[in-house]
Amino acid sequence: MLAQKSLGISNLSISNKSLKCPIYDPSRCSPFINVRPPIKKTCAPLRVTCSSSPAQSRVDILSESLPYLQKFRGKTIVVKYGGAAMKSESLQASVINDLVLLSCVGIRPIFVHGGGPEINLWLDKIGIKPEFLNGHRVTNATTMEVVTMVLVGKVNKHLVSLINKAGATAVGMCGMDGRLFTARPSPRAAELGFVGEVANVDPSILRPLVENNHIPVISSVATDEKGQSYNINADTVAGELAAALGAEKLILLTDVSGILEDKNDPGSLVKEINIAGVKKMVEEGKIAGGMIPKVNCCIRSLAQGVRTASIIDGRLQHSLLLEILTDEGAGTMITG
């Protein structure tokens, strides 16, 4: 403890107006990491009392999260995982740890994932060049087989293993398991091949899992009524699952900071916006390209009863905790 202890002035930073005690800065460091800030050296001994410490600051931060924990406790949150957070091992560890922490404090996360880069890697290994049309993967029968093997057999089980290792209990599945969601061909099937849409969701298999504190990990592959497999956009799957479950929140992890007022200015982040505002920004061309299907996914889920939807920056460490447990957030929150 620093209180009532005689310290040399060499351990303090002093101005001619006040004596400042070195205090842990939670905006710069994770409260879950034991960080001791550097102490600047000056000159002669002085007797002071310091009322804060790194440990006390961490406790204060946890205490301040209480209203958010109360708000979300027992509520379902659907998280779509992809982008940079999937490519970087450190970001992946951050997301997994956040997910497990949320589960431990009584929040019910459901984890939906893509895996585009991994699919490309395995296609390349067997000599198939990936093809895309307007951002959609062209998926013939051979590519569909690879997509299924990679998403359902490799990526899904790897994520389940990481969550289990971090201390929670995860259950891996895809659309076919328990008929969780059924596919139908995309209207552009003639061009795209086995790219599908969500035709129906039956979340009954998920309810006992989340009620028993398990974390469902879901890949975006499903079959139609005839048993044909389809590759479905993971954002779309997350949105439809959130709607079917009556989720409190949908979160899409992305490679951008969120919705920008000026897409060329990273500092113009829109922190909160409603559906009408989003539609206006689309009409004005401020939302364009790959952001359009993401906001459409959010709008559709909100229209079906999801309370809020957020597009957040998956490049930030602990972005899930920032979004759920702070006012600041980690991207753009869309409301109904």
Side-chain angles (χ1 to χ4, degrees):
M1 296 291 291
L2 290 177
Q4 302 303 321
K5 232 181 180 180
S6 179
L7 300 177
I9 208 165
S10 59
N11 291 328
L12 299 169
S13 175
I14 297 178
S15 72
N16 59 354
K17 291 186 178 180
S18 64
L19 179 64
K20 295 186 179 179
C21 200
I23 295 176
Y24 172 73
D25 182 356
S27 69
R28 298 177 63 186
C29 303
S30 167
F32 304 103
I33 299 175
N34 186 17
V35 177
R36 293 187 182 277
I39 300 176
K40 294 182 180 179
K41 292 189 176 182
T42 51
C43 43
L46 188 65
R47 190 177 183 84
V48 296
T49 298
C50 179
S51 60
S52 185
S53 69
Q56 182 62 50
S57 295
R58 287 197 295 272
V59 170
D60 290 343
I61 291 165
L62 289 171
S63 176
E64 288 166 9
S65 69
L66 178 61
Y68 304 100
L69 295 174
Q70 290 173 324
K71 175 182 177 181
F72 289 108
R73 182 173 175 80
K75 302 293 178 62
T76 298
I77 293 175
V78 177
V79 177
K80 186 270 176 171
Y81 174 59
M86 207 166 197
K87 300 171 193 172
S88 160
E89 286 189 10
S90 64
L91 288 175
Q92 186 175 75
S94 169
V95 171
I96 296 298
N97 287 336
D98 287 0
L99 201 70
V100 171
L101 188 150
L102 293 173
S103 177
C104 286
V105 297
I107 297 170
R108 297 174 170 180
I110 292 175
F111 206 41
V112 179
H113 67 86
E118 193 79 14
I119 293 169
N120 293 343
L121 176 66
W122 283 90
L123 286 173
D124 184 62
K125 286 184 178 183
I126 61 173
I128 297 176
K129 184 179 179 180
E131 289 184 60
F132 292 89
L133 184 63
N134 298 324
H136 297 280
R137 184 184 298 277
V138 178
T139 308
N140 60 22
T142 304
T143 301
M144 187 65 236
E145 191 173 359
V146 173
V147 167
T148 302
M149 289 190 294
V150 171
L151 292 187
V152 180
K154 187 174 188 299
V155 176
N156 186 269
K157 298 309 175 244
H158 177 61
L159 293 172
V160 167
S161 176
L162 289 176
I163 292 169
N164 289 344
K165 183 179 177 182
T169 302
V171 179
M173 58 182 63
C174 65
M176 288 92 89
D177 295 306
R179 297 182 180 179
L180 177 55
F181 53 96
T182 307
R184 63 171 173 245
S186 163
R188 301 173 60 196
E191 301 171 285
L192 298 174
F194 297 111
V195 172
E197 297 179 343
V198 176
N200 183 62
V201 178
D202 180 0
S204 56
I205 194 173
L206 295 179
R207 298 191 192 281
L209 293 176
V210 297
E211 286 169 4
N212 286 282
N213 298 318
H214 298 335
I215 301 176
V217 181
I218 302 166
S219 64
S220 57
V221 174
T223 59
D224 63 14
E225 293 178 349
K226 297 178 181 178
Q228 172 60 54
S229 295
Y230 287 90
N231 182 23
I232 305 176
N233 179 275
D235 291 338
T236 302
V237 170
E240 294 301 317
L241 284 172
L245 288 159
E248 180 74 15
K249 193 171 187 66
L250 168 67
I251 298 176
L252 306 182
L253 285 164
T254 69
D255 288 344
V256 295
S257 53
I259 297 174
L260 303 178
E261 179 67 29
D262 178 356
K263 56 190 175 185
N264 297 315
D265 178 9
S268 63
L269 177 66
V270 178
K271 300 292 290 184
E272 185 173 346
I273 190 170
N274 59 22
I275 291 176
V278 169
K279 290 180 176 178
K280 183 179 178 183
M281 289 185 73
V282 172
E283 291 170 1
E284 293 172 346
K286 293 179 178 179
I287 296 175
M291 186 59 73
I292 289 179
K294 293 186 183 299
V295 298
N296 285 341
C297 162
C298 292
I299 289 171
R300 181 172 169 80
S301 67
L302 290 168
Q304 296 180 83
V306 176
R307 294 288 297 274
T308 64
S310 294
I311 298 172
I312 71 171
D313 192 347
R315 300 167 299 178
L316 296 175
Q317 291 281 346
H318 300 295
S319 54
L320 282 179
L321 297 187
L322 285 168
E323 179 60 29
I324 296 170
L325 300 182
T326 72
D327 276 334
E328 184 67 18
T332 300
M333 184 171 74
I334 305 173
T335 59

